[in-house]
Amino acid sequence: RIETVTEAELENRRLRSKVKDLERQADRARAGESAWLAALERCFVEPQTVAIPPRPKLDRRKRSQRTMVLHLSDTQIGKITSSYNTEVARERIVERLFDRMESLLEAERSIHKINDLRVYLGGDMVEGEMVFPTQPHFIDSPVIEQTIETAHIIVDLLAKLSGLVRNIRVVAVRGNHGRSGKYDRTNPATNWDSMAYECISMILKGTKLGERVELIHDREKF
């Protein structure tokens, strides 16, 4: 069957199709905007409820002084495998890693006095979205949510660790998983790891934990 239409009718159909396309784009944009706003509110707007344990007393025993070191990297929060996702990451970092640090610290304190902890965040803290073409199919949350969740997981770990030592210094660098695109198309400093560190900094400033934890993160340098 051949349908005969005028040029004006064709133009009218094209315009209606274009309107529908624009409406779909607007719906997607609104959905994306809502996700961003909800994630940002978690970090910057909502009151922070960080459980902060009592600060330990300064160890003044006549023993040699030692500084404990924790290097944490490649958590790739947001990644999905048969045995890993964001909830597993939280349990491993906030619970199991803390328990291990507590045991090691207790053992070392039988020999040395330890008042300080250095935490090195080595990058690839978030899984990202654009490291390889099919990556969006292997994550449990968009990168903005990965970023905020990473910040909250690290803050919860730092809060628990602050009950073991007097002072904590955190040095953070970014990794490649946080990049927002190919290296030759984006500024290297535009990185979701860096955003997670900025969020950690904001939370620290908004709670008394910031009095015990120093964060060093130069996103331009690193």
Side-chain angles (χ1 to χ4, degrees):
R1 179 175 176 270
I2 299 175
E3 181 183 9
T4 302
V5 296
T6 66
E7 186 63 32
E9 289 173 326
L10 283 174
E11 181 64 17
N12 189 34
R13 292 182 182 181
R14 283 194 292 267
L15 289 173
R16 285 200 298 268
S17 177
K18 182 64 174 177
V19 167
K20 289 182 179 179
D21 286 341
L22 291 172
E23 288 175 343
R24 283 193 291 268
Q25 291 176 27
D27 288 340
R28 287 194 294 268
R30 282 191 291 270
E33 180 182 82
S34 297
W36 274 72
L37 288 175
L40 290 173
E41 283 175 357
R42 283 191 61 204
C43 183
F44 301 115
V45 179
E46 293 178 1
Q48 302 302 323
T49 55
V50 181
I52 305 175
R55 191 176 193 178
K57 294 180 179 180
L58 184 66
D59 189 343
R60 300 182 183 275
R61 294 176 299 170
K62 292 183 179 180
R63 298 187 177 186
S64 58
Q65 177 79 33
R66 292 290 186 270
T67 297
M68 202 156 190
V69 173
L70 169 61
H71 179 217
L72 180 61
S73 69
D74 296 271
T75 54
Q76 294 177 222
I77 292 170
K79 184 179 182 67
I80 296 177
T81 70
S82 59
S83 60
Y84 190 74
N85 56 40
T86 297
E87 287 305 311
V88 172
R90 167 172 282 279
E91 191 273 335
R92 289 181 181 178
I93 295 169
V94 180
E95 303 300 332
R96 292 167 59 182
L97 177 58
F98 170 77
D99 289 344
R100 182 60 174 161
M101 289 292 294
E102 187 177 33
S103 297
L104 290 172
L105 188 61
E106 183 179 350
E108 285 296 313
R109 276 193 170 137
S110 65
I111 307 171
H112 309 289
K113 60 181 180 182
I114 302 174
N115 292 307
D116 301 291
L117 170 66
R118 299 289 183 267
V119 178
Y120 298 104
L121 302 179
D124 287 352
M125 310 306 292
V126 301
E127 168 61 7
E129 288 181 343
M130 304 183 70
V131 180
F132 53 91
T134 59
Q135 192 174 21
H137 301 284
F138 296 94
I139 56 178
D140 60 16
S141 55
V143 69
I144 179 64
E145 293 182 13
Q146 295 174 24
T147 301
I148 305 303
E149 188 62 27
T150 296
H152 282 271
I153 288 174
I154 298 302
V155 166
D156 287 345
L157 173 64
L158 293 174
K160 294 181 71 171
L161 290 171
S162 73
L164 302 180
V165 293
R166 287 282 297 177
N167 305 298
I168 300 175
R169 174 178 289 179
V170 182
V171 179
V173 298
R174 62 175 179 260
N176 71 297
H177 271 257
R179 68 179 188 251
S180 59
K182 292 185 178 180
Y183 284 117
D184 60 347
R185 297 182 185 177
T186 59
N187 190 310
T190 304
N191 189 288
W192 289 101
D193 277 343
S194 297
M195 182 61 184
Y197 302 148
E198 291 296 320
C199 187
I200 292 171
S201 177
M202 293 292 291
I203 296 173
L204 291 177
K205 290 176 182 177
T207 66
K208 289 189 176 296
L209 186 60
E211 299 174 3
R212 309 190 204 175
V213 179
E214 176 189 9
L215 174 64
I216 300 173
H217 168 236
D218 186 342
R219 62 179 179 273
E220 296 299 329
K221 182 176 180 180
F222 296 120

